[in-house]
Amino acid sequence: DGTKFDRENLGLKFEKRKISALVEKIEANVYYNYVDHVMDNYSLRTKSAAMFMVSNPDRETVGGRFAMTLRPAQALKLTLGADYQDNRHTLRSVANASQAVADAYAALARTEDANFKQVGVFGEGAYVLGERDRVLAGLRADRWQAQDKRATLAITGVGTVANPTANQRREKTLASGFARWERDLAEASTLYAGLGHTERFPDYWELISATKESATSRSAFGTAPEKTTQLDIGAIHRAGPWSLSAAGFYNDIADNILVQSNFAKVDPGARTPTVVRNVDATTWGGELGAAYALARDWKLDGSLAYVRG
């Protein structure tokens, strides 16, 4: 149970518009975030046995982003930029102890268990083909780096063991992109179709937290990135106080990151830990939406969605 949450955020943003005929806007921001959580199994429930547990992870994040919007021609708008993020995680915890020992967790030293870095560059463009048609497209590349700083692992049912991925470092360059076509049938109706691909690096909660395991190892640090390709189609119509929409999608996911509880393992001894593994998946579905403006300040909105995976 989450019992204490402390979050600190500090940010600075700069933006300037209408710089020249070519440069429409530049924007930049830098930020610092700190998150400190306490979770335990006794503050919000009754415990009778002396198996009190408390976990106190924190995360320090430093990052920034820069983007420039260009107008090379009246029909073409481009956005180019880069971003950066650095995450450092530490942990202190107590397991299977008395309440007095668990309550004294704040006297323990914090130990760094993982760090993540990401540097990305991106570009996006919108081009007006004519009175009715528009094309939007974008590309992105991210360089990811992660390091497992845990020397040992506390495996339920086994005890403390050496971490098979201790001090291992992973580096990966991931690519994403999309293209979208829009057509106005009339002043109040628009059709669109888009195709996108994104690649996602596993996060801390999938690689490190709660001593996640893989299907074949006591560490999930080797989990592969997730790669999703999605097709979207849809229509939007506006008529007086009414706004109607219909959309459909189809997803093909390679190496979907699945967190699975009660996975049967024998290594040695029969155990059912939580593991992280990659599976291939597909999802598809659609949504119908309607909105009605009752008055200037009031609107009634509803939707019906269906998804199958």
Side-chain angles (χ1 to χ4, degrees):
D1 305 319
T3 58
K4 293 182 181 179
F5 301 88
D6 180 23
R7 302 179 182 180
E8 301 172 9
N9 305 285
L10 179 66
L12 177 67
K13 182 176 181 179
F14 171 82
E15 183 175 305
K16 186 171 178 64
R17 296 174 178 268
K18 299 180 181 179
I19 299 168
S20 69
L22 174 63
V23 182
E24 196 170 84
K25 181 176 69 171
I26 59 172
E27 52 185 322
N29 71 289
V30 292
Y31 57 88
Y32 170 85
N33 298 331
Y34 180 71
V35 180
D36 188 3
H37 287 181
V38 178
M39 296 168 282
D40 66 45
N41 68 342
Y42 62 91
S43 294
L44 303 180
R45 65 179 90 174
T46 301
K47 291 288 291 180
S48 56
M51 297 183 66
F52 293 83
M53 304 172 67
V54 58
S55 179
N56 179 207
D58 75 347
R59 182 184 70 204
E60 187 178 53
T61 303
V62 177
R65 179 182 184 273
F66 172 82
M68 177 183 297
T69 302
L70 306 175
R71 182 74 74 167
Q74 185 62 34
L76 176 63
K77 182 167 75 170
L78 299 173
T79 300
L80 307 174
D83 51 31
Y84 169 79
Q85 190 174 102
D86 185 306
N87 288 274
R88 298 191 177 274
H89 299 258
T90 74
L91 177 69
R92 55 187 175 192
S93 61
V94 175
N96 301 329
S98 66
Q99 183 173 354
V101 173
D103 284 341
Y105 73 91
L108 300 175
R110 293 187 182 273
T111 302
E112 185 178 3
D113 57 355
N115 58 69
F116 293 76
K117 292 182 181 180
Q118 169 261 329
V119 178
V121 293
F122 58 88
E124 181 176 325
Y127 186 70
V128 178
L129 297 173
E131 292 185 3
R132 296 180 178 270
D133 296 282
R134 296 173 298 278
V135 174
L136 298 88
L139 292 172
R140 179 179 179 91
D142 288 283
R143 182 65 175 175
W144 282 91
Q145 182 183 97
Q147 186 177 19
D148 186 353
K149 301 284 287 186
R150 301 168 298 170
T152 60
L153 303 176
I155 303 296
T156 302
V158 176
T160 301
V161 300
N163 179 13
T165 56
N167 290 316
Q168 283 191 13
R169 187 185 301 272
R170 294 182 57 186
E171 295 185 356
K172 194 76 173 177
T173 299
L174 302 179
S176 302
F178 79 97
R180 174 185 170 105
W181 166 78
E182 298 178 356
R183 180 174 177 82
D184 296 329
L185 298 181
E187 284 189 15
S189 299
T190 300
L191 294 177
Y192 66 86
L195 180 65
H197 177 82
T198 182
E199 299 181 356
R200 182 178 74 84
F201 196 81
D203 62 23
Y204 172 84
W205 306 104
E206 294 160 333
L207 292 184
I208 303 292
S209 75
T211 317
K212 295 288 199 315
E213 302 183 35
S214 75
T216 58
S217 169
R218 289 175 175 169
S219 170
F221 191 67
T223 303
E226 188 175 273
K227 297 169 280 292
T228 302
T229 302
Q230 179 171 314
L231 174 67
D232 291 282
I233 57 172
I236 301 169
H237 178 71
R238 293 165 294 276
W242 285 97
S243 177
L244 307 173
S245 64
F249 75 91
Y250 179 86
N251 261 334
D252 180 78
I253 310 171
D255 291 327
N256 177 68
I257 299 174
L258 176 69
V259 180
Q260 181 177 347
S261 301
N262 300 318
F263 184 85
K265 293 186 76 171
V266 181
D267 62 347
R271 298 191 302 117
T272 55
T274 297
V275 302
V276 182
R277 60 193 185 96
N278 294 107
V279 300
D280 291 335
T282 55
T283 61
W284 61 93
E287 182 173 9
L288 298 174
Y292 183 79
L294 300 172
R296 188 186 67 176
D297 298 326
W298 291 91
K299 183 174 72 170
L300 185 66
D301 213 334
S303 64
L304 177 65
Y306 174 82
V307 177
R308 184 171 176 83

